[in-house]
Amino acid sequence: MPNIRQQALDYHEFPSPGKMAVCLTKPAKTSHDLSLAYSPGVAEPVREIAADPENAYRYTAKGNTVAVISNGTAILGLGNLGPLASKPVMEGKALLFKTFANIDATDIEVTNDTPEQFINTVASIADTFGGINLEDIKAPECFEIEKELIKRCKVPVFHDDQHGTAIVTAAGMINALEIQGKKIEEAVFVCLGAGAAAIACMSMLIKCGAQREHIYMLDRKGVIHTQREDLNEYKALFANNTDKRTLQDAIKGADGFLGLSGPNLLSAEDIKLMAENPVIFACSNPDPEIKPELAKETRPDVIMGTGRSDYPNQVNNVLCFPFLFRGALDVRAKEINDEMKVAAVYALAGLAKEPVLQNVLEAYPDVAELNFGAEYVLPKPMDPRLLPQIARAVAQAAIDSGASELTELPAGYFS
Ligand SMILES: NC(=O)C1=CN([C@@H]2O[C@H](COP(=O)(O)OP(=O)(O)OC[C@H]3O[C@@H](n4cnc5c(N)ncnc54)[C@H](OP(=O)(O)O)[C@@H]3O)[C@@H](O)[C@H]2O)C=CC1
Ligand SMILES: CC(=O)C(=O)O
Ligand SMILES: [Mg+2]
């Protein structure tokens, strides 16, 4: 798109700075309105909540809110640019929560010196919200932060770059491998990156049938292997007993490449080494590990995905987090467990096989048609069926797995 930089800056600046504002759901026009909204009336719900905290869901907006919280240590693929610089991304996530799932999200950017400070800050405000969406926090700190916050918070805590990305990547990979005529159990994967998104994506692929030994993960120092003594406990889970050391060693004969690292790290020469009919998801944002034009020119047999909205096959956590949180909030799930995540994977993968709706096609004026195949392995974010299908699958899984105290879905829930 011509001049995308200036268009993007203008979009953010005008007509008012940023992408969000507060909207009210109750009248505040008359003195009677004010005596209900504020003093003296507001004291009544205060007393009810003090008597039973569950009443916060009845008398405040808590149950439909999510806090999008970052410390700016891994902003997209741009790196550690600090909390304030992450604000446009966090406002963007709030925009997506509202647009796609009518969830009221608040962005919170935390300045911290240590993970403990971050944990203490988030734990002390978590109860304000229905759920916590952690965003763009770098590995390995993100793993400890999420684990500790899950322990300390009463509401669901979900690190989107780990699990949202993993759900969408797994759904897309399952479909892409099927189209390429490959079995996930036999496929060999190379994952460039060994951080938040990479560790979670590979763990999810294993839950969906991939073999641990068929996965080669690389960080800045090359292949993660058992002879290395510099691995943290998360990378160590993916250490292979192998002689492969470089990206070129690992990618030879691979069926799938997952890029969760940084821009332009994969070359045409590298992908020439892959097996026939490969899948390349170059997910680094905004600039992928390899440009789709180059990948397709070099390997006409490739299925290619990126994290971006302006190429086919957008492999991006936007396809997950709004809808997954909708389901979790609606059944008041106390956590987002593996059962709920796997349910989201298969709901998402299944929807890609349904005929594409006219309104989705209209959102992509440059595309004549969309059908399940090499250029369409995942639904588009504006597909209105994502909300009912993913939210329902997640809510049902929450009930079945005991994450929700409900025994069945609310009557008529997205049916
Ligand atoms: N499409 C999507 O939905 C999503 C995409 N992403 C993308 O994934 C990338 C990583 O994000 P995230 O996991 O949150 O960040 P982290 O900081 O947690 O991890 C970054 C990882 O990338 C590795 N890396 C960086 N540069 C290189 C390099 N030159 N060669 C090999 N490995 C490299 C780092 O290696 P080392 O460990 O050695 O430092 C680290 O393991 C970003 O580009 C982000 O945009 C993330 C989430 C969602
Ligand atoms: C999409 C996203 O969350 C990321 O690139 O970090
Ligand atoms: Mg992110």
Side-chain angles (χ1 to χ4, degrees):
M1 190 180 289
N3 202 14
I4 185 82
R5 174 181 150 75
Q6 195 54 49
Q7 285 182 42
L9 291 174
D10 289 350
Y11 173 90
H12 283 81
E13 185 173 357
F14 304 113
S16 56
K19 297 196 280 278
M20 53 199 284
V22 171
C23 90
L24 302 180
T25 61
K26 298 291 157 68
K29 288 202 173 87
T30 66
S31 65
H32 183 62
D33 291 342
L34 288 192
S35 66
L36 299 179
Y38 197 41
S39 186
V42 72
E44 298 310 327
V46 169
R47 291 189 183 105
E48 294 297 317
I49 295 167
D52 179 359
E54 283 296 292
N55 280 329
Y57 288 96
R58 184 166 178 190
Y59 296 117
T60 77
K62 173 179 164 98
N64 195 43
T65 61
V66 166
V68 179
I69 310 186
S70 184
N71 59 6
T73 50
I75 308 176
L76 310 175
L78 303 172
N80 184 351
L81 301 181
L84 191 57
S86 77
K87 195 169 171 68
V89 178
M90 303 314 131
E91 283 192 355
K93 297 280 175 179
L95 174 150
L96 299 168
F97 267 116
K98 186 68 180 176
T99 303
F100 294 130
N102 197 26
I103 290 171
D104 294 309
T106 304
D107 67 298
I108 298 175
E109 293 77 27
V110 178
T111 302
N112 64 241
D113 292 326
T114 62
E116 290 67 36
Q117 274 183 12
F118 182 87
I119 292 165
N120 287 334
T121 303
V122 176
S124 64
I125 59 170
D127 225 11
T128 302
F129 304 97
I132 303 294
N133 184 92
L134 301 174
E135 192 67 45
D136 290 0
I137 302 169
K138 79 177 181 67
E141 294 83 353
C142 64
F143 301 119
E144 188 57 33
I145 285 172
E146 189 195 40
K147 195 167 87 186
E148 191 58 27
L149 284 172
I150 287 172
K151 247 192 274 167
R152 288 176 55 178
C153 299
K154 295 192 205 88
V155 296
V157 176
F158 178 85
H159 182 195
D160 177 43
D161 298 284
Q162 289 185 57
H163 315 298
T165 316
I167 287 163
V168 177
T169 300
M173 187 54 74
I174 287 167
N175 282 346
L177 289 174
E178 182 185 321
I179 294 162
Q180 296 290 48
K182 302 190 185 212
K183 292 196 168 72
I184 192 168
E185 295 79 8
E186 294 166 4
V188 173
F189 300 98
V190 170
C191 179
L192 188 61
I199 300 272
C201 285
M202 294 306 103
S203 303
M204 181 58 86
L205 278 191
I206 292 169
K207 288 194 184 83
C208 295
Q211 302 298 303
R212 231 282 294 123
E213 301 70 32
H214 293 180
I215 294 173
Y216 296 94
M217 187 178 277
L218 294 93
D219 63 7
R220 288 171 215 265
K221 293 186 178 153
V223 170
I224 290 178
H225 59 83
T226 47
Q227 302 303 307
R228 278 181 61 174
E229 291 178 351
D230 58 345
L231 302 177
N232 63 43
E233 62 183 291
Y234 311 100
K235 292 181 182 178
L237 293 172
F238 288 92
N240 276 355
N241 189 4
T242 176
D243 294 336
K244 298 178 197 287
R245 294 292 180 263
T246 64
L247 177 58
Q248 292 69 34
D249 295 340
I251 207 165
K252 200 167 177 195
D255 301 292
F257 171 89
L258 285 305
L260 295 154
S261 49
N264 301 314
L265 296 172
L266 187 65
S267 70
E269 294 309 311
D270 296 333
I271 68 171
K272 282 183 191 162
L273 299 171
M274 294 184 78
E276 271 180 21
N277 302 322
V279 179
I280 297 178
F281 289 170
C283 296
S284 178
N285 285 308
D287 300 311
E289 282 76 2
I290 186 168
K291 291 198 170 52
E293 296 85 349
L294 177 59
K296 286 182 183 175
E297 186 191 312
T298 311
R299 292 297 303 250
D301 56 343
V302 74
I303 290 184
M304 178 73 207
T306 70
R308 298 167 55 121
S309 301
D310 52 356
Y311 286 102
N313 295 328
Q314 184 173 20
V315 184
N316 190 301
N317 48 36
V318 63
L319 288 169
C320 172
F321 65 81
F323 318 110
L324 175 135
F325 264 100
R326 182 76 274 158
L329 292 177
D330 288 345
V331 296
R332 201 87 57 78
K334 58 181 182 297
E335 62 177 359
I336 294 171
N337 61 27
D338 281 353
E339 289 87 339
M340 295 159 73
K341 293 172 197 161
V342 170
V345 171
Y346 288 104
L348 185 55
L351 180 52
K353 296 182 175 178
E354 294 185 20
V356 176
L357 302 178
Q358 189 57 32
N359 77 304
V360 176
L361 281 171
E362 283 164 11
Y364 290 84
D366 300 337
V367 178
E369 58 173 357
L370 288 170
N371 296 302
F372 183 64
E375 298 283 286
Y376 182 77
V377 301
L378 283 166
K380 299 292 186 191
M382 54 289 289
D383 192 320
R385 298 166 299 186
L386 285 164
L387 179 59
Q389 294 192 18
I390 297 183
R392 206 181 147 82
V394 167
Q396 186 65 58
I399 292 169
D400 295 344
S401 62
S404 163
E405 285 179 3
L406 300 187
T407 52
E408 56 186 48
L409 289 174
Y413 186 65
F414 283 129
S415 58

